[in-house]
Amino acid sequence: MEKIKLDKKTLKKMALTASEVYTEDPVHKNCTKVLKIRKRFLYHFMMERFSSSNGTDYIYLDKEGRGMCIWRAADNDYTVLDFLRCPHWIFLVVYWISTVRTLIIYGRRDLSVFPDNTLLIEPVFVAKEHQGKGVATALIRQGIDELLPLGYNLGLETQNPDNISLYERLGFRVISEQELKKGKIYNYSMLYYGENKE
């Protein structure tokens, strides 16, 4: 399967969509307290994540532009170096504190819980007005159907316990739970074992 490369306009649109979706994410709420700043930071943060993934990771884009799912190698984690390559240097100056806080929390995850040759969902999201319509499920299933035959293990991480039941319905199981910030943020590592068709 070929790794697609998205044009800049699509990347910007998806980064804007993701910035709206992830405003209530536990990590981002903890790292950037002010909502207005959080939304601006998230746009740039997602733009850099997607630019880093573009052409190197497996990207699934909904045909109607309602959402996106990226599968990235578990041993290819985002680092500060990815953000130092940022073409929008002002992002680093204005939102540097949020960037560092966010990467510190993400850096506490134990990726060694995943077997070799694992791809992780990094991330999946759907525009708020289209949530609940099965878009995310379709994007994840498309990835499962195309990537499993290539010999990959498939997994994901979530810091939102409300998402676990959705992923379990798709065949993922929690293999590890870690505390990332004392009493506040937990990371749930999940691995794909196959859907229960019963």
Side-chain angles (χ1 to χ4, degrees), residues 10 25 38 44 47 52 66 90 101-102 132-133 141 143 148-149 154 172 174 183 186 192 196:
T10 303
D25 177 83
R38 191 186 319 141
H44 293 289
M47 190 68 188
S52 175
R66 298 172 294 178
I90 194 71
R101 284 179 179 166
T102 303
K133 299 177 182 176
R141 280 197 175 124
L148 268 183
L154 303 177
F172 293 88
V174 175
Y186 292 85
Y192 181 75
N196 185 350

Side-chain angles (χ1 to χ4, degrees), residues 38-190:
R38 191 186 319 141
K39 284 185 177 180
R40 287 188 199 142
F41 162 68
L42 272 167
Y43 169 76
H44 293 289
F45 183 80
M46 292 299 178
M47 190 68 188
E48 294 317 308
R49 283 184 73 171
F50 300 164
S51 297
S52 175
S53 286
N54 202 19
T56 61
D57 298 329
Y58 293 101
I59 299 175
Y60 292 88
L61 185 65
D62 176 66
K63 288 180 180 148
E64 296 173 41
R66 298 172 294 178
M68 186 166 74
C69 181
I70 296 176
W71 295 84
R72 186 174 177 87
D75 60 2
N76 186 18
D77 197 22
Y78 297 99
T79 67
V80 173
L81 291 176
D82 289 312
F83 292 87
L84 290 175
R85 296 187 198 103
C86 171
H88 310 113
W89 61 269
I90 194 71
F91 160 66
L92 292 174
V93 176
V94 176
Y95 302 113
W96 184 246
I97 293 172
S98 292
T99 303
V100 170
R101 284 179 179 166
T102 303
L103 291 176
I104 285 172
I105 288 181
Y106 281 136
R108 291 187 177 134
R109 299 168 302 157
D110 181 9
L111 296 174
S112 69
V113 300
F114 294 104
D116 291 341
N117 203 33
T118 297
L119 296 178
L120 301 180
I121 294 174
E122 291 262 335
V124 60
F125 60 91
V126 175
K128 287 185 175 180
E129 64 270 22
H130 296 294
Q131 291 178 1
K133 299 177 182 176
V135 178
T137 297
L139 288 169
I140 294 170
R141 280 197 175 124
Q142 184 182 357
I144 291 169
D145 291 345
E146 294 182 8
L147 298 172
L148 268 183
L150 298 179
Y152 290 111
N153 297 299
L154 303 177
L156 62 91
E157 295 180 303
T158 183
Q159 293 81 44
N160 188 343
D162 295 339
N163 293 337
I164 291 175
S165 60
L166 163 69
Y167 296 131
E168 285 179 335
R169 286 195 300 274
L170 289 168
F172 293 88
R173 300 290 173 262
V174 175
I175 58 170
S176 173
E177 180 183 332
Q178 302 165 257
E179 188 177 46
L180 299 183
K181 189 160 171 93
K182 193 165 176 135
K184 288 187 178 178
I185 301 172
Y186 292 85
N187 183 64
Y188 304 90
S189 300
M190 304 185 76

